[in-house]
């Protein structure tokens, strides 16, 4: 049996989408690519940021109850620069905090679960289980 791994299309250390330096080692290349893909999907208006409406849509797609209220709470928690929107660095910080089990984000575990169930993440997990290097 052969496992075909296609190189990622995103240089995860030097791209337009860059995590804060302190978080770079928190993610595998596959996780980083999934974050970029998810970020692009929800920053659909082309602004390069995720606003309240887009956070609300993300939470609604995950069937989270009371998405509008949860979206405001989440945006307030994550928007460290006070812009009212999430840039990619803030999104990286969010995902890192979810992975570490940050109790302030306890109600948003569905977001982390969704990122960990993408095809690339599943492939990476299967490779690890079989002691293959990705």
């Amino acid at each position: 049996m052969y496992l075909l791994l296609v190189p990622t299309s995103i240089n995860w250390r030097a791209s337009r989408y860059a995590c804060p330096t302190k978080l770079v080692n928190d993610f595998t290349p596959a996780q980083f690519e999934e974050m970029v893909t998810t970020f692009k999907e929800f920053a659909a208006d082309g602004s390069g940021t995720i606003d309240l409406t887009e956070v609300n849509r993300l939470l609604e797609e995950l069937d989270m109850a009371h998405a509008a209220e949860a979206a405001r709470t989440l945006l307030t928690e994550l928007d460290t620069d006070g812009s009212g929107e999430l840039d990619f660095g803030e999104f990286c910080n969010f995902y890192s905090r979810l992975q570490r089990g940050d109790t302030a984000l306890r109600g948003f575990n569905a977001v982390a679960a969704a990122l960990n169930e993408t095809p690339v993440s599943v492939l990476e997990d299967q490779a690890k289980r079989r002691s293959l290097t990705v």
Side-chain angles (χ1 to χ4, degrees):
M1 181 165 110
Y2 295 95
L3 177 63
L4 175 64
L5 297 176
V6 179
T8 62
S9 60
I10 299 169
N11 180 342
W12 70 294
R13 290 192 187 267
S15 76
R16 165 185 159 165
Y17 297 97
C19 286
T21 305
K22 67 180 181 177
L23 300 177
V24 168
N25 295 320
D26 286 2
F27 311 109
T28 66
Q31 288 173 321
F32 180 81
E33 188 158 344
E34 292 300 335
M35 282 192 309
V36 170
T37 300
T38 302
F39 186 82
K40 285 180 176 179
E41 179 184 340
F42 289 99
D45 64 2
S47 67
T49 60
I50 298 176
D51 64 21
L52 180 60
T53 302
E54 293 161 333
V55 171
N56 191 42
R57 187 170 61 90
L58 180 142
L59 297 178
E60 283 178 351
E61 286 192 20
L62 295 172
D63 294 325
M64 293 185 69
H66 311 292
E69 182 180 323
R72 273 190 287 289
T73 301
L74 183 60
L75 190 58
T76 300
E77 177 69 29
L78 301 176
D79 180 24
T80 57
D81 65 7
S83 66
E85 300 176 327
L86 297 180
D87 60 30
F88 188 71
E90 291 166 329
F91 189 75
C92 287
N93 188 47
F94 168 52
Y95 187 54
S96 178
R97 287 174 61 188
L98 285 172
Q99 284 186 310
R100 292 179 181 161
D102 187 327
T103 57
L105 299 174
R106 190 174 323 142
F108 299 100
N109 291 335
V111 177
L115 282 170
N116 287 326
E117 294 174 359
T118 62
V120 173
S121 295
V122 170
L123 176 64
E124 187 175 64
D125 184 54
Q126 290 296 321
K128 284 180 187 176
R129 288 183 188 179
R130 291 172 175 78
S131 299
L132 300 172
T133 302
V134 180

